[in-house]
Amino acid sequence: DTAVSQTPKYLVTQMGNDKSIKCEQNLGHDTMYWYKQDSKKFLKIMFSYNNKELIINETVPNRFSPKSPDKAHLNLHINSLELGDSAVYFCASSQAPGQPQPQHFGDGTRLSIL
Amino acid sequence: DQQVKQNSPSLSVQEGRISILNCDYTNSMFDYFLWYKKYPAEGPTFLISISSIKDKNEDGRFTVFLNKSAKHLSLHIVPSQPGDSAVYFCAARTYNQGGKLIFGQGTELSVKP
């Protein structure tokens, strides 16, 4: 059973479109995250939610809007897609954010903007 | 401002030998460090971690060493196996930053038979 699952795995779309990426975890974790891996392979945090509440927003453009309907799901909606949004987006989850516990990652969504 | 650095983009090791992957950091407030392994088209997989109150943690073939005075972390893999070939990321966090992990840029390990 996949612990952290993201859909879709690949997303190819045109500039200006709106798209969503879904993430679900079945680990019973309280905290979920979105990371972006850019062309230079750096993994950088975008958002974190703890029990459906936003706790980290790393100066991400407001075209990116995370939504957490419950603590097992954290979706990412992106409006007016730009070329620079092309990247791999990873969802992750962990127990309470203050605990020294590892984060578990999904397999990523590769977003390509044409 | 890159707080976690992995200065070797790649490392090649013979099967059966030791692999040593290095990581340097600048933020003395980091209290928890992790190593992740990543295969192509997959997400990072947690490998091993260490709290800042320790200087060594061991799990099977994997050992992580922490030198706080040098702000240096290393991962030792002994013996190295071809299946260990992957990209290894070092990551760190401070307890009051909402769980945010700061990642290094990764080191690609190739273990040759």
Side-chain angles (χ1 to χ4, degrees):
Chain A
D1 281 345
T2 305
V4 181
S5 58
Q6 300 177 224
T7 54
K9 191 169 179 66
Y10 299 97
L11 189 49
V12 182
T13 190
Q14 294 202 324
M15 211 164 48
N17 284 349
D18 302 339
K19 289 294 177 186
S20 292
I21 306 171
K22 295 186 176 182
C23 180
E24 176 181 5
Q25 56 96 3
N26 62 7
L27 296 166
H29 288 162
D30 290 331
T31 311
M32 296 185 73
Y33 311 82
W34 279 109
Y35 286 83
K36 178 181 179 181
Q37 186 179 34
D38 60 22
S39 56
K40 294 183 180 177
K41 306 301 182 187
F42 281 102
L43 269 157
K44 291 186 179 176
I45 185 114
M46 300 174 68
F47 299 103
S48 170
Y49 270 72
N50 185 50
N51 271 322
K52 302 192 296 176
E53 288 194 21
L54 180 68
I55 55 172
I56 296 175
N57 182 342
E58 282 289 298
T59 60
V60 178
N62 57 16
R63 297 183 296 105
F64 290 78
S65 53
K67 293 280 192 301
S68 182
D70 55 62
K71 71 176 191 177
H73 295 84
L74 180 62
N75 304 321
L76 184 64
H77 188 75
I78 315 170
N79 289 328
S80 304
L81 281 157
E82 299 177 359
L83 289 175
D85 298 332
S86 294
V88 183
Y89 293 84
F90 289 99
C91 177
S93 73
S94 72
Q95 294 175 352
Q99 298 289 329
Q101 295 289 333
Q103 294 177 17
H104 298 269
F105 286 78
D107 281 341
T109 296
R110 182 174 293 277
L111 175 62
S112 300
I113 310 302
L114 303 177
Chain B
D1 177 27
Q2 207 178 322
Q3 299 183 62
V4 179
K5 292 183 183 179
Q6 293 175 255
N7 291 316
S8 300
S10 63
L11 175 68
S12 185
V13 169
Q14 207 68 31
E15 182 179 5
R17 300 288 187 114
I18 185 170
S19 295
I20 300 176
L21 296 105
N22 294 304
C23 178
D24 296 300
Y25 62 95
T26 57
N27 188 343
S28 56
M29 298 300 291
F30 285 146
D31 68 335
Y32 183 57
F33 302 86
L34 309 89
W35 284 95
Y36 283 86
K37 174 180 177 179
K38 186 182 181 304
Y39 293 118
E42 293 185 11
T45 301
F46 170 69
L47 201 53
I48 192 168
S49 63
I50 188 165
S51 164
S52 60
I53 61 173
K54 296 187 175 181
D55 54 20
K56 177 183 173 181
N57 189 25
E58 195 170 350
D59 183 2
R61 296 185 298 114
F62 303 93
T63 303
V64 56
F65 294 92
L66 176 61
N67 182 335
K68 286 193 293 294
S69 60
K71 293 192 177 69
H72 181 80
L73 193 68
S74 63
L75 174 68
H76 292 210
I77 307 174
V78 182
S80 301
Q81 299 173 355
D84 296 330
S85 297
V87 177
Y88 288 78
F89 290 96
C90 168
R93 63 140 235 187
T94 54
Y95 81 97
N96 61 351
Q97 293 287 303
K100 175 172 77 173
L101 289 180
I102 309 293
F103 282 86
Q105 61 269 54
T107 296
E108 184 169 9
L109 173 66
S110 176
V111 180
K112 301 193 183 303

